């Protein structure tokens, strides 16, 4: 395959999978938030913050997409790995791997949304559980963060600016 | 700092006639946590008639306050109200005894309650009437398709007339069955509307019992026919006139309620607060012991307040009192309430410690360390001078606006203020001002590390910070356990990890040629042996636990990589916004530089969004690093928080006659 295929697949999968997962997560949490607000409008602020938590995975995906576009030269200048040499294919494949890492670990947005929605339910019954709810939801994000760390190392050391 | 307030146990015996005043005094001071007196020779105290009345008035008053509160003119809301809330004036009340207070409240209620109840009742009945009229209008609109005089749809002496709807597919079978059951003695009119049939059926009164089960079988939905004569169209007009009249009346009643709210709401909530506090006092009586003449109470109080409390108690009881003050003993360890003690700069961070749980009396309070590391981690993860500035300015405004309230927002803003300082500092180190906005504009800014290009360096820094943080945790744990005599546990559970960390650190340095590798390996080895010994007590599972706990430690350590990931996420999002802005910056439609206008909006909106989302991330993950990784090394948080017997005064202020 040409390097461009690897590179654009990497960028697309990073932002695509993570973004889709985030929207699932936000969707689950948003449904719970709507219920909580119906119970008492004061829950709005707390519910909104909890609902926003599963959104971060899509941001990690977006950052990865931009980094991939940046290091491969698609953004600013021209595509650097146009020729299908051994080295360019390796670099393209590394970028695909990085994108896939972020995309797949971004799936953690779905369980995070489920935790958030339970947290929203808990907060509407007892507002004091707000911080605890956030911490529980933040647990699920750890995997996405590890994915981002891994991908960043792959991009920076494997390809470089 | 590091240790909670020293607590002493207070025991008081005095005469019953001073009880009410003494309780009120302690309630207003709010520095004693009252505990149950163990009752063996005396009996438990119980609320008297006035305390019981206070309890019921408290509930009744809060209902009235709720009703009138809905009609009260709203205070200024919006951003200004949030940033700079107006202080609520506190009305003074001269306290003589609960008896006179209850009597005063009753006198007031006698005047106000009937007035408020009357308006409430009028409001309710008018609202119900309006609802009924609206339902009638809806029914009439439905019936209007039949163009039948409404009076014909009313039952007469011999005829039973029912109107209602039935599903489309059930209509024909229902009519057929009715005809069969009633042998044709039935008349009906029908009309199809929206997938259902509207039917008016007339049957003989004598046949009604037979028809009823059939109607029920086909789930015939009955409609109550409104009173009146004429076609539905004519009647609707009549009802609409009625509706307008009632609605006008409702508005008048609401005006009346507003006037009442103006007149009574503040006084009501004033008395409600007084009664609520009396109720709390009544509940506390169960913890007291009493005889015919005397009562006894006991509780914990911080040592620094003891002098003031003793002096106050003596004054109120005119010296007719026995007071015993005991220092905390080892037996009480589980029982002593914890009040954290920290200098002003670390005080706001007590909120974070308390959210997890306070330490036990003989443990170390981690708040001063946390105050520094929490704000530093927050800054490291946000890493942008301008973002720090924005958060700092907002937090400073909130601190100023909420100063007189000392509420949760005030404490939280102070935490943010410290965190924003580190954010700005780290922003300068990384040379990040709205990401790389300045660099893009061609301005050179000095920086120590480039977050993007030096990602690996940032990761290494993050991991070094992490291992130091864990090392501090294990060291505190070691000191606490050693001092409390749990020397074996201190050696195996804490020292082991301290040695392992030192070993890892020295080994890392030896790679750079600074120290020798052999002693590093030796120290790591000793630590590891201690760790293995600590796990051996688990018997058969030891081998498994050694593996899982060791990798648990590694996992905790690597978890600090999030410092780097979130720092990069911040500069990443800022970078994305800056790239987008620079792409549209140059767009022109004719001579109009539309790109600049759109670009500016995108830049401001985007950067504000980025500030918010990244600050949320930094807040959450800094918290997590402390609760999960840091506290996991040494902290139990199993202490009991000091909960003083304290009055709640938002709109009232008590002055005591002594």
């Amino acid at each position: 395959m040409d390097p461009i295929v690897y590179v654009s697949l990497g960028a697309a999968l990073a932002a695509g999978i993570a973004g889709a997962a985030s929207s699932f997560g936000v969707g689950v949490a948003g449904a719970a938030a709507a219920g909580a607000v119906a119970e008492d409008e004061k829950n709005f602020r707390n519910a909104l913050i909890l609902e926003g938590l599963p959104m971060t995975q899509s941001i990690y995906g977006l950052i990865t997409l931009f980094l991939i576009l940046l290091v491969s030269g698609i953004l600013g200048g021209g595509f650097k790995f146009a020729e299908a040499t051994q080295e360019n294919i390796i670099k393209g494949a590394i970028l695909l791997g990085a994108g896939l890492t972020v995309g797949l670990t971004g799936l953690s947005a779905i369980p995070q949304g489920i935790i958030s929605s339970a947290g929203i339910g808990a907060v509407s019954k007892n507002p004091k559980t707000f911080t605890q709810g956030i911490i529980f939801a933040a647990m699920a994000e750890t995997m996405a963060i590890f994915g981002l760390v891994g991908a960043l190392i792959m991009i920076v050391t494997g390809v470089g600016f | 700092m590091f240790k909670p307030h020293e607590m002493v146990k207070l025991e008081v015996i005095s005469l019953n006639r001073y009880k009410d005043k003494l309780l009120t005094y302690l309630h207003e001071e709010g520095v004693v946590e009252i505990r149950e007196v163990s009752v063996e020779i005396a009996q438990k105290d119980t609320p008297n008639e006035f305390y019981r009345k206070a309890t019921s008035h408290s509930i009744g008053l809060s209902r009235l306050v709720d009703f009138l509160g809905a009609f009260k003119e709203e205070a200024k809301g919006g951003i200004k109200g949030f940033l700079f809330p107006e202080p609520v004036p506190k009305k003074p009340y001269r306290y003589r005894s609960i008896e006179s207070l209850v009597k005063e409240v009753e006198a007031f209620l006698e005047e106000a309650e009937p007035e408020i109840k009357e308006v409430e009742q009028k409001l309710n009945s008018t609202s119900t009437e309006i609802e009924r009229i609206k339902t009638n209008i809806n029914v009439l609109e439905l019936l209007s398709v039949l163009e039948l005089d409404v009076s014909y749809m009313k039952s007469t002496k011999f005829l039973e007339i029912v109107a209602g709807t039935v599903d489309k597919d059930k209509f024909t079978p229902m009519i057929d069955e009715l005809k069969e059951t009633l042998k044709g003695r039935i008349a009906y009119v029908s009309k199809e509307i929206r997938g259902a049939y509207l039917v008016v059926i007339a049957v003989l009164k004598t046949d009604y019992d037979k028809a009823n089960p059939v109607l029920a079988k086909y789930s015939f939905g009955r409609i109550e026919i409104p009173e009146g004569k004429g076609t539905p169209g004519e009647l609707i007009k009549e009802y609409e006139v009625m509706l307008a009249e009632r609605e006008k009346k409702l508005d008048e009643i609401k005006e009346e309620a507003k006037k009442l709210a103006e007149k009574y709401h503040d006084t009501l909530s004033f008395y409600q607060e007084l009664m609520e506090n009396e109720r709390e006092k009544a509940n506390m009586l169960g913890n007291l012991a009493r005889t015919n003449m005397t009562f006894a109470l006991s509780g914990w109080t911080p040592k620094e307040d003891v002098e003031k409390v003793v002096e106050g108690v003596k004054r109120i009881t005119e010296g007719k009192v026995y007071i015993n003050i005991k220092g905390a003993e080892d037996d009480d360890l589980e029982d002593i309430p914890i009040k954290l003690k920290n200098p002003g700069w670390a005080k706001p961070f007590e909120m974070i410690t308390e959210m997890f749980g306070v330490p036990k009396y003989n443990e170390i309070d981690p708040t001063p360390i946390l105050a520094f590391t929490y704000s530093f981690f927050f800054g490291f993860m946000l890493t942008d001078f301008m973002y720090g500035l924005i958060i700092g300015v907002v937090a400073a405004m909130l601190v100023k606006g909420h100063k007189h309230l000392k509420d949760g927002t005030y404490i939280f803003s102070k935490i943010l203020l410290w965190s924003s300082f580190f954010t700005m500092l780290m922003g300068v180190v990384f040379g990040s001002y709205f990401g790389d906005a300045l660099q893009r504009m061609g301005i050179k800014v000095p920086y120590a590390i480039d977050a993007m290009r030096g990602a690996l360096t940032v990761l290494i820094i993050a991991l070094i910070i992490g291992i130091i943080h864990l090392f501090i945790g294990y060291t505190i744990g070691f000191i606490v356990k050693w001092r409390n005599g749990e020397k074996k546990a201190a050696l195996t559970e804490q020292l082991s990890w301290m040695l392992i960390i030192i070993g890892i650190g020295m080994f890392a340095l030896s790679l750079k040629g600074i120290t020798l590798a052999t002693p590093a390996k030796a120290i790591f080895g000793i630590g590891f042996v201690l760790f293995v010994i600590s796990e051996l007590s688990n018997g058969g599972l030891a081998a498994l636990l050694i593996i899982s706990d060791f990798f648990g430690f590694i996992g905790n350590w690597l978890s600090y990589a999030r410092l780097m990931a979130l720092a990069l996420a911040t500069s990443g999002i800022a970078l994305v916004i800056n790239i987008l802005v620079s792409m549209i910056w140059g767009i022109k439609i004719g001579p109009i530089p539309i790109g600049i206008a759109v670009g500016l909006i995108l830049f401001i909106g985007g950067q504000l969004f980025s500030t918010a989302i990244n600050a949320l991330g930094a807040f959450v993950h800094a918290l997590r690093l402390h609760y999960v990784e840091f506290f996991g090394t040494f902290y139990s948080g199993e202490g009991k928080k000091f909960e003083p017997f304290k009055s709640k005064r938002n709109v009232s202020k008590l002055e005591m006659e002594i």
Side-chain angles (χ1 to χ4, degrees):
Chain A
M1 273 196 288
D2 275 347
I4 183 70
V5 181
Y6 289 116
V7 173
S8 40
L9 260 183
L13 290 176
I17 301 179
S22 272
S23 64
F24 270 115
V26 172
V28 174
V37 173
E39 239 170 70
D40 187 349
E41 287 164 34
K42 281 186 200 135
N43 292 325
F44 178 68
R45 190 182 60 98
N46 290 347
L48 188 72
I49 293 175
L50 278 163
E51 192 201 346
L53 290 180
M55 218 155 66
T56 32
Q57 279 84 344
S58 71
I59 294 174
Y60 299 153
L62 195 68
I63 292 170
T64 315
L65 172 129
F66 268 84
L67 275 178
I68 291 175
L69 296 188
L70 216 65
V71 296
S72 61
I74 294 176
L75 210 66
F79 187 52
K80 289 181 200 160
F81 318 134
E83 272 177 60
T85 60
Q86 181 82 13
E87 197 199 340
N88 282 351
I89 289 178
I90 290 174
K91 283 186 174 171
I94 289 174
L95 291 181
L96 171 62
L100 207 53
T101 311
V102 171
L104 292 180
T105 52
L107 288 175
S108 63
I110 298 172
Q112 193 175 22
I114 296 169
I115 303 171
S116 287
S117 89
I120 290 168
V123 160
S124 61
K125 284 195 186 73
N126 177 6
K128 281 185 189 156
T129 59
F130 177 57
T131 326
Q132 286 90 329
I134 285 189
I135 297 285
F136 291 142
M139 285 298 194
E141 203 173 306
T142 307
M143 301 70 184
I145 289 176
F146 285 168
L148 182 65
V149 170
L152 286 171
I153 294 173
M154 286 168 88
I155 294 173
V156 173
T157 57
V159 181
F161 283 91
Chain B
M1 212 158 56
F2 292 113
K3 281 203 67 70
H5 274 280
E6 200 178 326
M7 303 300 272
V8 293
K9 196 166 193 181
L10 190 71
E11 287 168 337
V12 176
I13 298 176
S14 184
L15 295 174
N16 269 335
R17 65 181 139 120
Y18 298 117
K19 183 167 63 191
D20 176 41
K21 265 201 182 149
L22 186 69
L23 269 183
T24 312
Y25 166 74
L26 291 177
H27 203 205
E28 295 309 310
E29 284 296 329
V31 289
V32 182
E33 179 173 329
I34 294 181
R35 290 287 173 82
E36 196 172 347
V37 179
S38 63
V39 181
E40 275 159 18
I41 44 168
Q43 57 178 320
K44 266 192 179 187
D45 205 343
T46 45
N48 65 15
E49 171 198 1
F50 292 106
Y51 280 117
R52 283 198 298 273
K53 274 188 180 168
T55 304
S56 87
H57 286 322
S58 158
I59 297 163
L61 279 166
S62 76
R63 224 183 54 77
L64 294 178
V65 169
D66 281 349
F67 171 67
L68 287 186
F71 295 101
K72 202 168 175 275
E73 295 285 323
E74 278 299 314
K76 255 183 288 173
I79 291 175
K80 189 158 179 269
F82 175 65
L83 283 178
F84 304 107
E86 300 268 332
V88 183
K90 291 185 181 179
K91 198 168 144 189
Y93 178 78
R94 203 152 177 77
Y95 189 85
R96 283 177 296 277
S97 67
I98 178 158
E99 195 178 335
S100 64
L101 172 58
V102 168
K103 278 185 179 153
E104 192 180 322
V105 170
E106 278 172 352
F108 171 74
L109 276 180
E110 222 163 273
E111 180 204 337
E113 202 173 9
E115 239 180 288
I116 300 169
K117 284 260 163 79
E118 194 198 325
V119 171
E120 194 182 1
Q121 209 179 0
K122 268 200 283 185
L123 192 80
N124 284 344
S125 66
T126 315
S127 306
T128 329
E129 241 174 287
I130 288 176
E131 277 314 303
R132 198 175 52 83
I133 294 173
K134 279 186 180 161
T135 325
N136 281 345
I137 291 178
N138 282 343
V139 170
L140 287 168
E141 269 167 3
L142 193 68
L143 292 176
S144 64
V145 292
L146 291 176
E147 285 172 13
L148 207 64
D149 198 308
V150 174
S151 55
Y152 293 151
M153 297 184 214
K154 286 274 163 193
S155 300
T156 64
K157 199 171 174 188
F158 300 107
L159 285 178
E160 193 69 43
I161 299 176
V162 289
T165 54
V166 68
D167 278 352
K168 196 177 173 184
D169 49 345
K170 286 182 187 160
F171 173 66
T172 328
M174 182 182 81
I175 293 294
D176 289 347
E177 195 170 334
L178 275 174
K179 277 182 182 161
E180 196 188 310
T181 326
L182 306 177
K183 304 195 176 70
R185 290 192 299 272
I186 172 177
Y188 71 92
V189 279
S190 65
K191 189 104 183 174
E192 191 192 335
I193 31 165
R194 289 192 299 267
Y197 269 87
L198 177 68
V199 205
V200 180
I201 305 168
V203 296
L204 288 173
K205 270 242 152 95
T206 44
D207 285 342
Y208 183 61
D209 286 344
K210 287 184 208 155
N212 217 7
V214 181
L215 294 175
K217 185 178 158 193
Y218 289 96
S219 25
F220 182 73
R222 276 176 204 240
I223 298 170
E224 202 68 40
I225 303 294
E227 297 293 329
K229 277 188 179 142
T231 62
E234 289 162 6
L235 259 185
I236 284 175
K237 278 188 199 119
E238 258 176 61
Y239 273 111
E240 267 167 0
V241 173
M242 238 151 69
L243 184 67
E245 197 182 299
R246 291 291 189 287
E247 268 170 356
K248 205 175 139 216
K249 194 175 159 200
L250 188 71
D251 285 341
E252 277 166 23
I253 297 171
K254 277 184 181 164
E255 271 311 307
E256 223 175 302
K258 260 185 204 160
K259 269 184 209 145
L260 273 186
E262 190 82 15
K263 188 172 163 194
Y264 287 130
H265 180 270
D266 290 351
T267 324
L268 275 173
S269 48
F270 169 70
Y271 281 128
Q272 199 258 329
E273 191 169 284
L274 289 176
M275 287 292 105
E276 183 62 35
N277 280 313
E278 292 307 317
R279 194 167 76 105
E280 230 182 79
K281 268 154 67 183
N283 287 340
M284 198 44 75
L285 286 173
N287 287 336
L288 270 52
R290 68 164 189 155
T291 65
N292 279 344
M293 293 289 287
T294 62
F295 72 95
L297 75 79
S298 77
W300 290 96
T301 187
K303 200 173 180 187
E304 59 176 31
D305 292 317
V306 120
E307 217 171 294
K308 187 177 66 177
V309 171
V310 167
E311 194 255 334
V313 169
K314 279 186 181 154
R315 201 173 58 224
I316 286 185
T317 53
E318 293 160 327
K320 298 183 188 65
V321 65
Y322 161 81
I323 303 174
N324 183 31
I325 294 162
K326 267 199 315 199
E329 284 159 21
D330 283 351
D331 299 351
D332 300 326
L333 271 184
E334 295 294 317
D335 205 35
I336 305 171
I338 305 298
K339 188 183 181 193
L340 298 181
K341 181 178 169 186
N342 283 294
W345 56 269
K347 197 122 195 106
F349 293 88
E350 285 177 0
M351 186 174 95
I352 294 175
T353 310
E354 279 171 5
M355 218 141 51
F356 186 85
V358 291
K360 286 188 186 166
Y361 196 61
N362 58 359
E363 288 176 352
I364 282 180
D365 167 19
T367 309
I369 296 168
L370 188 141
F372 172 71
T373 51
Y374 181 85
S375 20
F376 176 63
F377 286 0
F378 185 98
F380 199 105
M381 288 191 261
L382 201 50
T383 322
D384 192 291
F385 182 82
M386 298 309 283
Y387 291 0
L389 197 63
I390 293 174
I391 291 173
V393 167
V394 173
M397 283 203 289
L398 281 172
V399 165
K400 194 168 176 293
H402 287 250
K403 195 162 191 151
H404 56 275
L405 291 175
K406 296 262 185 293
D407 56 355
T409 316
Y410 174 76
I411 298 170
F412 184 67
S413 308
K414 276 203 144 176
I415 293 177
L416 275 186
L417 205 58
W418 278 109
S419 307
S420 73
F421 166 71
F422 281 99
T423 309
M424 287 188 267
L425 190 73
M426 293 308 292
V428 172
V429 171
F430 282 78
S432 177
Y433 305 83
F434 283 139
D436 61 346
L438 290 182
Q439 287 92 323
R440 265 172 202 281
M441 280 155 63
I443 302 168
K444 276 227 159 85
V445 283
Y447 61 85
I449 312 157
D450 183 331
M452 283 286 170
R453 281 163 222 277
L456 268 186
T457 323
V458 184
L459 178 64
I460 291 166
I461 294 173
L463 289 179
I464 291 173
I465 291 169
I467 208 150
I468 293 173
H469 201 220
L470 289 174
F471 186 76
I472 294 170
Y474 284 121
T475 313
I476 296 174
F478 179 76
I479 295 170
V480 170
K481 280 198 179 141
W482 189 266
R483 223 181 39 195
N484 292 340
E486 299 166 50
K487 297 194 174 165
K488 189 171 163 258
L491 285 177
T492 52
E493 283 168 28
Q494 258 79 24
L495 189 69
S496 55
W497 291 113
M498 288 162 69
L499 291 175
I500 288 174
I501 291 173
I502 294 174
I504 293 174
M506 282 174 70
F507 187 73
L509 288 179
S510 76
L511 291 180
K512 298 258 177 198
I514 300 169
T515 52
L516 288 173
T518 324
K521 284 176 189 164
I523 290 173
F524 182 89
I526 297 168
F528 199 79
V529 168
L530 278 173
F531 162 63
V532 170
I533 291 171
S534 80
E535 297 285 8
L536 284 181
S537 60
N538 294 314
L541 282 172
L544 218 64
L545 281 172
I546 287 172
I547 296 168
S548 90
D549 281 355
F550 189 76
F551 282 96
F553 167 75
I554 300 286
N556 277 349
W557 180 25
L558 290 184
S559 184
Y560 284 86
R562 78 185 63 229
L563 287 175
M564 166 258 196
L566 287 169
L568 258 69
T570 310
S571 44
I573 298 175
L575 179 77
V576 171
I577 296 165
N578 291 339
I579 289 175
L580 290 177
V581 170
S582 62
M583 279 199 299
I584 56 173
W585 192 259
I587 296 173
K588 282 183 187 165
I589 300 178
I592 311 158
I594 188 89
I596 294 181
V598 178
L600 268 181
I601 295 169
L602 182 67
F603 183 76
I604 294 168
Q607 297 291 1
L608 282 179
F609 169 76
S610 166
T611 310
I613 192 103
N614 285 308
L616 177 64
F619 166 76
V620 169
H621 288 284
L623 214 53
R624 183 221 136 107
L625 281 178
H626 283 90
Y627 284 176
V628 182
E629 276 80 17
F630 184 54
F631 282 178
T633 57
F634 71 101
Y635 192 61
S636 71
E638 280 168 350
K640 251 189 237 162
K641 201 180 151 199
F642 179 60
E643 276 162 0
F645 178 54
K646 190 176 183 181
S647 57
K648 290 176 195 72
R649 302 273 172 214
N650 292 324
V651 296
S652 66
K653 182 165 78 182
L654 220 59
E655 286 166 0
M656 288 188 70
E657 256 174 31
I658 300 171

